[in-house]
Amino acid sequence: MQRERLRIGLFGYGCVGQGLHDIINSSGFDAEIVKICVKHGDKPRRLPARAFTLNRYDILDDSEINLVVELTNDAREAFNIVSGAMERGKMVVTAGKAMVANNLAALTDMQSRYGVPLLYEASACASIPVIRNLEEYYDNELLNSVEGIFNGSTNYILSKMESSGAGYHDVLREAMDNGFAESDPTLDVTGLDSKQKLCIITAHAYGLFPRPDDIFHTGIENITEHDIRYAREKGLRIRLVAHVSKCAADTITAFVMPRFVQSSDKLYHVKDEYNGVIAEGAFADRQFFYGKGAGGHATGCAVLSDISACSYGYRYEYKKRARGRVKKITNDHLTEIYLRYNLEEERRLFGFKEITEYFCGTGFRYVKGVVNLQTLYQNREAIRESGVFMVKI
Ligand SMILES: NC(=O)c1ccc[n+]([C@@H]2O[C@H](COP(=O)([O-])OP(=O)(O)OC[C@H]3O[C@@H](n4cnc5c(N)ncnc54)[C@H](OP(=O)(O)O)[C@@H]3O)[C@@H](O)[C@H]2O)c1
């Protein structure tokens, strides 16, 4: 197939932008980065000043540039940049999970309207090629579930708490100092970052575009040594797992929660900043993808793969969305959880239907039992404010 010569306008020269630049330079990939648009003019850069601009229209209005690569850290601006590029007939590659997850329907419409591809492999699990696999290999109705560890920072924190016995806040501080967590880690530790990726994965696994607000999520920000010890005594580990599965031919359910995993589970062995994704099919059984879920070079590889795919005319066809077999997402789903809490009113937020274990210790209690995800979703704000910690069993 004839490859289109690429002239790239790059937005963002931070962790991923510089990683991509290194990879293009060292791989000999045949593409030219014509201009780089950044936000601040006064930052020291590795390249001469003439490589940069602060004016987005130097890229958007340059008719010689046929591909825009969007690697900024501002989801709202990213949407304006991406839509501006598509309106002008430019192909687009982005790593912006928040931007993609919150605008999937509009972005899909623009791809059809302007006849240009938008690829975003790096937006979900960075270096792991999950989107294109869901789109092409799993192009059938036989996918029972997709789940996994989609966030490297939280996995690093959980792994270090397990191995060192240190408390959450000490490990979080160390993760921030070592660059494994953002200076504002809220999106990661609350599970919101995993949920944005889950929305994108759901779109390609099932053809449904859920809004992040439709999905229940809870994170690891309230975990303590008690919870880690409880898991260890039972031979388990705690991992923050994002999950989507079919519960009927036309219905799926999805959530992000910490989960107890056994040593027979592939996710048990995913440590530190790594990610892991398990796709379970009706006949193919379980398939496991493992790799780096963050980092400039790892993420840059996924971006380069999309750039290369653009040059051959590849685009997502959203075939499952067109077929429309999956019609709705539900929270009406029973699940068993472990809950550590202090006050009875906190426990009541969960509406336990059945209790299988109860323990009262000094300064905390825990209970295990069955709850409906719908109740958790309805009470999500109060649950978030309560300071309890829950784990799916
Ligand atoms: N880091 C990862 O491991 C990773 C993994 C997967 C996906 N992602 C996604 O990749 C994207 C980039 O992440 P990052 O870690 O590379 O971010 P980063 O290190 O914070 O860099 C952000 C870059 O965007 C530039 N920028 C911000 N607003 C801009 C605007 N309005 N116009 C032009 N440039 C603008 C900044 O300019 P200045 O340099 O002037 O400040 C900076 O160069 C994000 O969407 C992130 O979610 C990151």
Side-chain angles (χ1 to χ4, degrees):
M1 184 185 268
Q2 187 67 31
R3 188 174 205 158
E4 190 173 349
R5 166 92 184 139
L6 296 177
R7 289 176 54 83
I8 297 173
L10 173 62
F11 283 85
Y13 198 66
C15 176
V16 185
Q18 292 181 44
L20 174 70
H21 195 259
D22 290 345
I23 295 168
I24 289 183
N25 279 346
S26 63
S27 66
F29 184 81
D30 185 21
E32 183 189 352
I33 297 182
V34 178
K35 208 63 171 176
I36 305 171
C37 181
V38 289
K39 188 170 184 180
H40 302 101
D42 51 357
K43 271 193 187 173
R45 310 278 178 190
R46 301 186 313 180
L47 299 174
R50 65 175 182 283
F52 296 95
T53 178
L54 300 179
N55 180 358
R56 74 179 62 174
Y57 296 102
D58 286 347
I59 290 178
L60 293 180
D61 290 340
D62 182 338
S63 57
E64 297 286 298
I65 290 176
N66 53 4
L67 173 68
V68 162
V69 178
E70 187 286 308
L71 301 174
T72 72
N73 54 0
D74 178 336
R76 190 169 304 166
E77 282 302 308
F79 182 73
N80 295 334
I81 291 163
V82 165
S83 37
M86 290 167 84
E87 276 164 24
R88 289 164 174 80
K90 298 186 196 300
M91 303 178 280
V92 181
V93 170
T94 177
K97 54 221 157 192
M99 189 275 291
V100 174
N102 287 300
N103 296 288
L104 262 167
L107 293 170
T108 315
D109 286 350
M110 279 191 271
Q111 289 176 71
S112 320
R113 195 173 330 134
Y114 302 117
V116 283
L118 166 71
L119 302 184
Y120 40 82
E121 185 63 67
S123 67
C125 304
S127 76
I128 305 180
V130 62
I131 297 177
R132 233 178 297 158
N133 269 303
L134 291 171
E135 187 66 18
E136 306 301 334
Y137 182 86
Y138 296 100
D139 173 32
N140 51 51
E141 311 308 321
L142 302 172
L143 200 54
N144 288 343
S145 65
V146 184
E147 64 178 16
I149 296 166
F150 295 177
N151 183 275
S153 309
T154 46
N155 208 53
Y156 177 88
I157 293 167
L158 292 170
S159 306
K160 289 291 173 236
M161 284 183 77
E162 273 160 20
S163 61
S164 70
Y168 170 76
H169 293 285
D170 292 339
V171 175
L172 175 62
R173 168 63 43 210
E174 185 203 315
M176 282 156 63
D177 291 346
N178 293 337
F180 291 116
E182 303 279 337
S183 50
D184 176 5
T186 315
L187 279 181
D188 295 326
V189 299
T190 57
L192 199 57
D193 173 84
S194 297
K195 186 164 81 165
Q196 289 167 347
K197 294 167 185 167
L198 181 64
C199 287
I200 299 170
I201 281 175
T202 299
H204 291 275
Y206 294 109
L208 205 66
F209 294 179
R211 292 176 314 131
D213 281 352
D214 296 337
I215 295 178
F216 178 76
H217 74 280
T218 184
I220 64 159
E221 69 273 37
N222 295 327
I223 193 170
T224 67
E225 297 93 309
H226 284 304
D227 311 306
I228 297 283
R229 200 177 317 126
Y230 177 92
R232 189 181 303 120
E233 282 166 5
K234 310 260 181 230
L236 304 168
R237 286 183 178 154
I238 299 173
R239 294 288 179 260
L240 183 63
V241 178
H243 172 102
V244 58
S245 59
K246 260 191 184 170
C247 37
D250 65 348
T251 311
I252 54 171
T253 190
F255 47 82
V256 176
M257 295 185 211
R259 160 106 55 96
F260 287 128
V261 290
Q262 303 181 352
S263 59
S264 56
D265 190 321
K266 294 281 184 207
L267 299 182
Y268 183 96
H269 305 283
V270 177
K271 288 192 190 164
D272 300 329
E273 71 276 26
Y274 282 82
N275 282 191
V277 182
I278 298 171
E280 185 175 335
F283 298 97
D285 207 354
R286 284 158 81 79
Q287 291 167 322
F288 179 56
F289 304 79
Y290 171 80
K292 285 195 172 169
H297 288 134
T299 311
C301 283
V303 175
L304 183 63
S305 177
D306 277 351
I307 293 173
S308 177
C310 276
S311 75
Y312 287 113
Y314 177 78
R315 63 185 55 198
Y316 304 135
E317 290 180 64
Y318 301 96
K319 294 186 278 276
K320 290 173 210 168
R321 183 161 174 85
R323 286 201 289 269
R325 303 250 166 83
V326 173
K327 299 191 189 327
K328 54 182 189 290
I329 184 161
T330 182
N331 285 316
D332 188 8
H333 174 78
L334 293 181
T335 187
E336 192 178 6
I337 65 163
Y338 154 105
L339 173 72
R340 185 182 41 71
Y341 65 104
N342 284 313
L343 306 170
E344 273 313 301
E345 65 215 51
E346 291 170 347
R347 183 171 81 170
R348 276 200 288 276
L349 293 170
F350 290 76
F352 277 91
K353 300 198 164 305
E354 188 189 315
I355 287 180
T356 51
E357 194 177 315
Y358 174 81
F359 181 82
C360 185
T362 322
F364 75 99
R365 306 165 192 204
Y366 74 71
V367 58
K368 272 167 66 178
V370 176
V371 295
N372 193 325
L373 186 62
Q374 184 67 41
T375 311
L376 275 50
Y377 181 77
Q378 277 159 0
N379 294 336
R380 61 194 182 283
E381 293 303 335
I383 290 173
R384 217 159 284 151
E385 282 161 18
S386 68
V388 301
F389 180 64
M390 60 168 280
V391 186
K392 180 175 160 54
I393 294 172

